[in-house]
């Protein structure tokens, strides 16, 4: 079992005299910067002059150019999209890192797959929330926490883990709990969810939609029944709090009996094998190399696949049902 760190395991004092520079003020940047500031820490933001910069100023934070903030920071938090972080790191961050600084990431991707190679002498840590940015901020304001994965890729000071835990505490994450994983484990788990779990789940959903519509059920009813009513989302959020097994008690005995007796029919060893092959592609770095090439070519495959998905009849049907039942 992994060790779970809570508030009492983290010491905010380790960051008391350190200037924190949050680079990027997007989903995670804004939430983490505000939480750290509200925890009493010294925070500046590095961002290009644009709407994000204005938002940071409106939130009462001091904002600088990215290179300036990296220079000012003893703790530099790289909260840019993973696709742009390597280039910005080389031009605006690396020249300003000094021995003793802490370089923090919210994802293990770039370090794990070798797109960013931090210099010796700095602590390289990760606090990767398992929560979208808005949720990070809302949880903090509600006095609650959210789980994160913390990691250490380079421990120059001998204090890298305590420093990562202090950052997690400042963000409010240790109120719930954090566990330590490697940068590679964080990145691989994240990619597995995106490339194996989510598509497999999506295929199950699509096959169910297709079958039921072809059997003559009203398309709107099919979508509402399967996911657009929000019941599925509610069930998953309940499962996250009380467990899958226990949440079944919120459903009728008919539902419980049907699910438990018919469930084994869908056991599929081939599905597990496909997931294993997907995981292997991730671990070997094949996916990361392919994705880097796609970025360099200007995203032709991503653009074509996105366009194709948006032109599916299901997309139009979904929009119609959502407008009808949930407005806008
Ligand atoms: P966002 O897409 O929200 O980041 C936007 C920020 O990046 C803005 O400040 C934007 O400023 C800046 N930015 C974008 N492109 C550039 C560029 N070329 N040069 C300089 N600045 C740029 O990122 P996220 O918050 O989603 O992700 C940040 C990190 O957090 C990533 O490592 C991600 O994996 C991780 N993470 C994200 C989660 C999420 O909730 N989305 C969940 C957990 C981890 P500008 O307007 O100037 O471009």
């Amino acid at each position: 079992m992994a060790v779970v760190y809570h508030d009492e395991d983290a010491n905010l004092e380790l960051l008391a005299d350190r200037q924190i520079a949050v680079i990027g003020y997007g989903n995670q940047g804004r939430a983490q910067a505000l939480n750290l500031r509200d925890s009493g820490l010294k925070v500046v933001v590095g961002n290009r002059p644009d709407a994000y910069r204005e938002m940071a100023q409106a939130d009462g934070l001091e904002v600088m150019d990215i290179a300036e903030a990296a220079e000012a920071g003893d703790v530099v938090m790289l909260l840019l999209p993973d696709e742009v972080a390597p280039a910005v790191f080389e031009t605006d961050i690396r020249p300003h890192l000094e021995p003793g600084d802490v370089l923090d990431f919210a994802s293990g991707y770039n370090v794990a797959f070798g797109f960013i190679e931090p210099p010796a002498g700095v602590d390289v840590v990760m606090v990767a929330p398992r929560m979208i940015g808005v949720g990070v901020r809302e949880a903090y304001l509600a006095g609650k926490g959210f789980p994160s994965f913390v990691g250490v890729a380079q421990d120059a000071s001998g204090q890298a883990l305590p420093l990562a835990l202090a950052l997690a505490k400042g963000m409010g994450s240790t109120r719930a709990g954090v566990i330590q994983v490697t940068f590679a484990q964080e990145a691989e788990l994240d990619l597995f969810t995106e490339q194996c779990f989510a598509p497999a789940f999506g295929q199950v959903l699509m096959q169910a939609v297709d079958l039921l519509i072809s059997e003559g059920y009203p398309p709107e009813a099919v979508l509402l029944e399967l996911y657009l009513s929000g019941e599925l989302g509610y069930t998953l959020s309940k499962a996250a709090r009380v467990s899958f097994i226990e949440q079944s008690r919120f459903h009728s005995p008919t539902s419980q009996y049907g699910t438990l007796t018919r469930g084994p029919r869908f056991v599929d060893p081939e599905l597990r094998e496909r997931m294993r092959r997907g995981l292997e592609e991730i671990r070997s770095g094949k996916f990361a190399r392919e994705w880097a090439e796609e970025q360099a070519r200007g995203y032709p495959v991503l653009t074509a696949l996105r366009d194709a998905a948006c032109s599916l009849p299901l997309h139009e049907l979904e929009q119609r049902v959502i407008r009808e039942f949930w407005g806008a």
Side-chain angles (χ1 to χ4, degrees):
M1 284 287 282
V3 178
V4 183
Y5 298 97
H6 296 285
D7 271 351
E8 59 273 22
D9 305 307
N11 179 9
L12 220 47
E13 283 301 305
L14 291 176
L15 295 169
D17 298 327
R18 307 233 186 172
Q19 177 64 61
I20 296 174
V22 173
I23 310 298
Y25 204 68
N27 292 310
Q28 288 296 325
R30 178 168 192 262
Q32 296 192 19
L34 292 176
N35 291 4
L36 291 167
R37 180 199 65 186
D38 293 349
S39 291
L41 299 170
K42 291 191 290 181
V43 176
V44 295
V45 170
N47 209 92
R48 302 189 292 197
D50 63 7
Y52 286 106
R53 187 183 192 128
E54 285 164 22
M55 199 194 307
Q57 284 162 336
D59 287 335
L61 288 159
E62 186 181 353
V63 192
M64 305 173 175
D65 288 336
I66 292 177
E68 257 185 297
E71 170 76 48
D74 308 307
V75 178
V76 179
M77 302 177 67
L78 203 50
L79 300 183
L80 300 172
D82 291 327
E83 305 82 67
V84 307
V88 176
F89 178 80
E90 291 306 326
T91 56
D92 291 347
I93 310 288
R94 185 191 289 283
H96 305 291
L97 289 176
E98 290 169 1
D101 283 352
V102 178
L103 177 64
D104 166 78
F105 293 85
S107 118
Y109 190 90
N110 281 311
V111 172
F113 292 111
F115 297 112
I116 291 181
E117 291 181 14
V122 304
D123 288 335
V124 181
V125 304
M126 168 180 73
V127 180
R130 301 345 267 169
M131 181 63 71
I132 59 169
V134 175
V136 165
R137 183 62 179 155
E138 282 177 1
Y140 185 91
L141 290 173
K144 296 183 177 155
F146 50 90
S148 293
F149 292 163
V150 296
V152 174
Q154 187 164 284
D155 189 1
S157 68
Q159 287 290 299
L161 180 61
L163 284 161
L165 292 174
L167 282 172
K169 184 173 186 173
M171 287 174 212
S173 187
T174 45
R175 291 172 184 169
V178 304
I179 60 173
Q180 187 178 5
V181 299
T182 66
F183 276 50
Q185 286 170 336
E186 191 279 339
E188 289 163 11
L189 286 171
D190 202 34
L191 294 173
F192 179 85
T193 305
E194 294 161 0
Q195 295 176 29
C196 300
F197 176 67
F201 181 76
Q203 279 306 317
V204 168
L205 193 60
M206 287 306 103
Q207 287 196 32
V209 168
D210 199 49
L211 171 73
L212 293 173
I213 293 178
S214 71
E215 289 290 327
Y217 293 93
E220 293 81 358
V222 168
L223 297 199
L224 285 167
E225 173 65 30
L226 290 174
Y227 63 111
L228 286 188
S229 71
E231 189 186 356
L232 175 64
Y234 187 78
T235 297
L236 289 174
S237 67
K238 274 285 172 209
R241 291 293 168 275
V242 303
S243 85
F244 255 114
I245 305 291
E246 293 302 324
Q247 71 77 31
S248 71
R249 297 188 203 286
F250 300 122
H251 302 275
S252 67
T254 311
S255 159
Q256 292 179 40
Y257 179 78
T259 299
L260 292 169
T261 53
R262 271 55 182 172
R265 290 180 186 172
F266 298 94
V267 171
D268 181 2
E270 170 58 20
L271 179 63
R272 189 175 185 280
E273 176 53 23
R274 270 187 232 161
M275 287 186 171
R276 198 196 57 72
R277 287 201 296 270
L279 182 61
E280 183 47 40
E281 198 176 64
I282 292 165
R283 278 180 167 161
S284 68
K286 184 171 182 290
F287 171 78
R289 286 191 295 278
E290 177 185 320
W291 178 223
E293 283 163 21
E294 166 75 358
Q295 290 166 47
R297 288 202 309 269
Y299 304 99
V301 176
L302 178 61
T303 309
L305 291 174
R306 256 196 208 142
D307 290 349
C310 288
S311 61
L312 289 174
L314 175 65
H315 185 56
E316 169 55 30
L317 176 62
E318 280 181 316
Q319 304 285 323
R320 196 152 42 78
V321 176
I322 291 167
R323 266 198 308 276
E324 197 68 39
F325 285 85
W326 301 115

